Amino acid sequence: MSEKKGYGLRRVWMMLFGILLIGMCVASYRMSGFGVDAFSCMNLGVSGFLGMSFGNWQLIVNAALLAVVWLTMRRCIGLGTIVNMVCVGYAADFLCWLCLDRLGMPVTLPVRILLLALGTLFASLGCAFYMTADMGISPYDSVALIITKYTRERISFRLARVLSDVTVVVVGVVFCLMSHGSIWAIVGLGTIVNACCNGPLIQFFRERISKLAEKEGKIA
């Protein structure tokens, strides 16, 4: 195997590991009962209203968003985009089923707090690996970039991300209320912690992962 292929393989493994961690993040947040990230909040609210599995609904939404990204910012699409949109929801569904239904894990308050902390760690570390691999970004993460592009940067990326996050949280809450579900299971402390800590932690881990990758050889 040539050096170039080896580095390509490393990027693929970093992307896959990062997406696995993101799936573990969503599962941890869901089991904690303290609320989930913004995009998962919407998908849990709507899927609960429709009586559909989280994984199936998230795949449908991601497919719709992917079509928009394809028409507007095709450069954002890569192998990581497809793996992310297909695998995260199903990985979260599987881990929740395994831990709660199959293994009967007791979800006491200390366990919930631990799951909240683990979810935050998995979210930032997973995004750091996924982004460092540079193999495309998820359809939802492209939304803020599209808004910034088509407003000719009159709306900054940061503001666009806040607007998109607030919008999907509101949608999730509305559908959760319509289905008489528990709002605090999808939006709460975990949502706030994710919003406040994810950015700084992603940057922290990305710097260290990039330095580690540079020591082993430049990622192609």
Side-chain angles (χ1 to χ4, degrees), residues 100-136:
L100 300 179
D101 298 337
R102 190 68 177 177
L103 300 179
M105 182 182 73
V107 188
T108 59
L109 182 58
V111 172
R112 292 175 62 199
I113 294 172
L114 175 61
L115 287 169
L116 174 61
L118 288 175
T120 303
L121 175 64
F122 292 151
S124 54
L125 190 57
C127 285
F129 271 102
Y130 175 53
M131 293 170 70
T132 304
D134 193 21
M135 299 185 70

Side-chain angles (χ1 to χ4, degrees), residues 37-218:
D37 63 278
F39 188 52
S40 297
C41 172
M42 179 188 72
N43 290 329
L44 283 169
V46 177
S47 63
F49 175 78
L50 297 176
M52 183 183 296
S53 77
F54 171 76
N56 285 340
W57 175 252
Q58 179 144 306
L59 180 58
I60 291 171
V61 173
N62 274 325
L65 289 176
L66 182 63
V68 175
V69 177
W70 177 264
L71 295 172
T72 55
M73 294 193 72
R74 199 169 301 179
R75 62 182 176 81
C76 292
I77 300 174
L79 177 61
T81 307
I82 307 303
V83 176
N84 183 295
M85 63 179 282
V86 172
C87 295
V88 169
Y90 290 121
D93 275 347
F94 172 76
L95 289 170
C96 287
W97 169 81
L98 179 65
C99 294
L100 300 179
D101 298 337
R102 190 68 177 177
L103 300 179
M105 182 182 73
V107 188
T108 59
L109 182 58
V111 172
R112 292 175 62 199
I113 294 172
L114 175 61
L115 287 169
L116 174 61
L118 288 175
T120 303
L121 175 64
F122 292 151
S124 54
L125 190 57
C127 285
F129 271 102
Y130 175 53
M131 293 170 70
T132 304
D134 193 21
M135 299 185 70
I137 61 178
S138 70
Y140 177 69
D141 289 334
S142 301
V143 171
L145 292 173
I146 294 171
I147 293 173
T148 300
K149 175 183 176 181
Y150 282 91
T151 59
R152 297 182 179 179
E153 299 188 357
R154 285 192 292 270
I155 297 178
S156 67
F157 174 80
R158 182 178 298 180
L159 177 57
R161 183 61 190 240
V162 170
L163 291 173
S164 59
D165 282 351
V166 169
T167 299
V168 295
V169 167
V170 170
V171 171
V173 169
V174 168
F175 276 91
C176 187
L177 288 173
M178 291 171 62
S179 63
H180 306 291
S182 172
I183 295 176
W184 303 117
I186 65 172
V187 59
L189 180 61
T191 313
I192 297 171
V193 169
N194 181 272
C196 295
C197 298
N198 212 25
L201 285 174
I202 289 173
Q203 186 62 32
F204 174 82
F205 286 124
R206 281 191 73 184
E207 290 175 356
R208 281 146 185 80
I209 292 170
S210 296
K211 289 179 180 178
L212 180 62
E214 287 173 3
K215 288 181 181 179
E216 296 180 359
K218 187 177 180 181

